[in-house]
Amino acid sequence: RLDLFRALEPRPGATRLLAVALGQIHALRLLAEDSALGLRSRLPGRPRVGQVVRGAGTVTGTLLTLAVRNARDVADALRSRGA
């Protein structure tokens, strides 16, 4: 296995980017797993394809809403720094 943190050790900017990316992956994985468990717990039987697609649409909508909010925050921060 490759240790990406050790491989990127000479480049601190890349190491920070890797840490942020891994944090985002972990957060998104948790959101997807929680959503799937929530869908299963609300249904008496196994979810049908339509129900899974509808649940995935809800997760996608949530992620897009968060992305827009985060992009607005970053834009405001950059604007306040004169960038």
Side-chain angles (χ1 to χ4, degrees), residues 2-3 7 21 27 43 55 69:
L2 176 66
D3 184 5
L43 298 173
R69 186 180 308 145

Side-chain angles (χ1 to χ4, degrees), residues 24-42:
Q24 290 294 314
I25 290 169
H26 180 68
L28 295 175
R29 183 178 292 152
L30 286 177
L31 177 66
E33 288 175 3
D34 286 349
S35 174
L37 288 174
L39 178 65
R40 267 189 241 127
S41 72
R42 288 189 302 272

Side-chain angles (χ1 to χ4, degrees), residues 51-73:
Q51 293 167 325
V52 172
V53 169
R54 201 172 311 121
T58 302
V59 171
T60 303
T62 302
L63 292 176
L64 288 173
T65 302
L66 289 172
V68 168
R69 186 180 308 145
N70 290 340
R72 190 176 305 126
D73 291 346

Side-chain angles (χ1 to χ4, degrees), residues 3-23:
D3 184 5
L4 289 176
F5 282 106
R6 183 172 285 156
L8 295 174
E9 202 170 294
R11 298 174 183 221
T15 303
R16 277 191 295 272
L17 181 63
L18 176 63
V20 169
L22 290 175

